[in-house]
Amino acid sequence: MNKAPTLLSELAGHAETILLGKALEQFGALCLRQGAGGLEVLLITTRETGRWTIPKGWPIKGLAPHEVVEREAWEEAGVKGRAKKRAFGCFSYLKTFQDGTQVPSFVTVHIMTVRRTKANFPERRERKLAWMPPLEAASLVNEPELKSLFRRVRRRALS
C-alpha cells in the first residue's frame, strides 16, 4: 500500500542535515486582527510553490526576531503592527529552492497584532493574501505544527 509521505517522514530524510546544525532558521508572523466575524489570521502564498503559509523570513543582523517578523509582514503582506517579543511557537517545513534543493527549516513564530494594512507593499505582485478564521487557515496549510498554532490561537481568543 502506497501512502502519501508525511512531513515527519520527509524530514527524516534530512536527519543528517538537522543533526549537523545545517538546518535553516526563520522567523514567522502569525498576524491577527478583529474582523466582522471575529478573530482573523493572515495567510499568504509562497512565491515558489503558491502554497499557503504565514509571512516569514531569515534572521537579519542587528534586528531582534520580533523586529524581523514585523519587517517580513510588511514586505510580504503590507501589514503594519506590533509583534510580541516572546515567541508563540514554532513549526518546521522543507524549504524548496528554485533549483529543487530541499533543506529543513525551523520557523520561530511570533504573534503580531495588525494595526494597518497597505495595498502598496514590496511583494504585492508576487503573493496572494487572505484573511480568515484560524480554523479555516489551519485547513489550508500543510505543516501540522502550523495547523496546531492556528488552533491554539483560536482557543486562546475564546478563553
Side-chain angles (χ1 to χ4, degrees), residues 36-37 49 55 63 65 71 80 82 95 114 116 119 129-130 139 149:
T49 63
L63 293 184
R71 179 181 287 186
K80 292 282 191 175
R82 289 267 184 222
K95 169 74 176 163
V114 174
R116 303 187 307 274
L129 283 65
S139 73
L149 293 178

Side-chain angles (χ1 to χ4, degrees), residues 41-43 52 132-141 147 150:
V41 297
L42 175 68
L43 288 183
W52 289 107
M132 63 192 68
L135 289 183
E136 185 178 340
S139 73
L140 294 176
V141 298
K147 289 176 183 290
F150 285 129

Side-chain angles (χ1 to χ4, degrees), residues 56-72:
K56 60 188 176 314
W58 310 108
I60 299 172
K61 188 175 182 175
L63 293 184
H66 73 282
E67 294 170 319
V68 171
V69 162
E70 291 171 356
R71 179 181 287 186
E72 293 300 327

Side-chain angles (χ1 to χ4, degrees), residues 33-59:
R33 74 174 186 188
Q34 283 298 319
L39 181 70
E40 294 180 327
V41 297
L42 175 68
L43 288 183
I44 65 170
T45 56
T46 63
R47 290 186 290 191
E48 292 85 15
T49 63
R51 66 182 172 73
W52 289 107
T53 192
I54 60 174
K56 60 188 176 314
W58 310 108

